[in-house]
Each structure stands twice: as C-alpha cells, then as structure tokens.
Amino acid sequence: MALLPLLNASALAEMRLTSDDIAEGRLMDRDQVYAGFGCDGENLSPSLSWSGAPEATRSYVVMAYDPDAPTGSGWWHWAAINIPAGVTSLPEGVGTDGVPGPSGMVEARNDFSQNAFGGACPPEGSAPHRYVFTVYAMPQEALPLDETASGALVGFYVQNAAIDRASITAKYGR
C-alpha cells in the first residue's frame, strides 16, 4: 500500500475538533488524569467531536500525545485507528472504563503499554505539559495495523497519509 503525502499546513483548514471536556490551552481536570504512576485521576478519555472532513475521508484516527514528556521522544497516550467515516464523535471514556468504541475501531499500544487511553501524568513538580489530541481524516477505510502497533508507528502512517486533521492542545501539571 502506497502512502500519500500529507497536505501542506495551509491546505489543512477545514476540519474542526471540539470537546466538552478539554479546551485549547486550558488545564485538564482530574477526569483526564491517569490512575497510576503516582497520579490519582479518573483516566477517562475526553469527549471529542469533529466536523469539516474532506469528502474523500474513508476513516479517522484519533491520537493523544505529550511532546513534553522527559523521554527524548514524547509520550503516546492514545491511538485509536480505523474509526469509520460515518463516526464524527467519541463520548467521554471511550477506550477506558469499559466504554466500547465504534465498530471497527482498534486501539494501538500506548506508552503505558496498554491498548487504551492513558491519561495525563507528568512528573511531580514539572511545569504543565501539553497534551495534543488530534483527529486525522484518512483516505483508506483501515490502516494495515493492529493492536500491537505503537503510537509512533500509527503516527508514521497518519503523518504520511492524512488528508486533513484538527487538534486541541490541553495542559496538565502537578
């Protein structure tokens, strides 16, 4: 399967991502904080809704990433792939707490080594980290990946094939 080049940033202006649970530049609350690694949150994925996808969209990928994690490569919190094109929202808790995703959705491994959403949990005393939630419009119905794929591998596919995308960057520190 050939990968398609990602559209340039100026062409990526139609899609919009919104949430009832997180907001651009705002601090996340305890609902989206991890339960473990010294954090005591609810570990719920935020509700996400998107609109304005290109007509050629055949599926979506939703990812959550912390570029500020002290790992040298950031931290993948979530990668939900193969979301059907007819789905334009995910309720709070999808991928966690027993809330199933839409039929066909596959969750890749996050950096907590789980096939699920993993909430924010920066090191204690660090400045607030950025948590980038992105929905990607994909030109194929399914990526050739399964639940063993890493966030980085999913990221490779979306960066090289997405036809549009939209993001919300929320923050959290402790």
Side-chain angles (χ1 to χ4, degrees):
M1 172 178 148
L3 296 177
L4 303 174
L6 181 65
L7 296 175
N8 66 44
S10 63
L12 300 173
E14 297 299 318
M15 281 188 72
R16 182 164 185 231
L17 180 62
T18 60
S19 176
D20 292 334
D21 303 313
I22 59 171
E24 185 67 32
R26 305 287 300 268
L27 291 175
M28 291 188 287
D29 64 25
R30 190 172 179 278
D31 285 353
Q32 280 72 52
V33 174
Y34 193 67
F37 276 48
C39 290
D40 185 26
E42 297 299 319
N43 199 45
L44 298 174
S45 62
S47 65
L48 299 170
S49 296
W50 53 92
S51 61
E55 191 174 310
T57 302
R58 299 293 173 257
S59 68
Y60 296 102
V61 171
V62 172
M63 299 187 79
Y65 176 69
D66 172 3
D68 302 317
T71 64
S73 61
W75 191 272
W76 291 102
H77 287 263
W78 196 24
I81 66 174
N82 304 338
I83 299 168
V87 174
T88 58
S89 66
L90 297 174
E92 182 181 53
V94 164
T96 58
D97 202 38
V99 179
S103 179
M105 183 178 101
V106 174
E107 292 177 287
R109 299 294 276 178
N110 64 27
D111 283 341
F112 292 109
S113 197
Q114 301 167 333
N115 294 87
F117 172 79
C121 188
E124 194 167 353
S126 68
H129 286 207
R130 295 168 292 159
Y131 295 88
V132 184
F133 292 83
T134 305
V135 60
Y136 297 89
M138 303 302 293
Q140 62 272 72
E141 288 184 14
L143 294 178
L145 302 172
D146 63 18
E147 67 280 347
T148 65
S150 67
L153 183 57
V154 175
F156 172 81
Y157 273 88
V158 299
Q159 293 300 319
N160 285 287
I163 54 178
D164 208 345
R165 67 177 175 242
S167 296
I168 296 172
T169 302
K171 296 179 178 182
Y172 184 75
R174 61 184 190 114

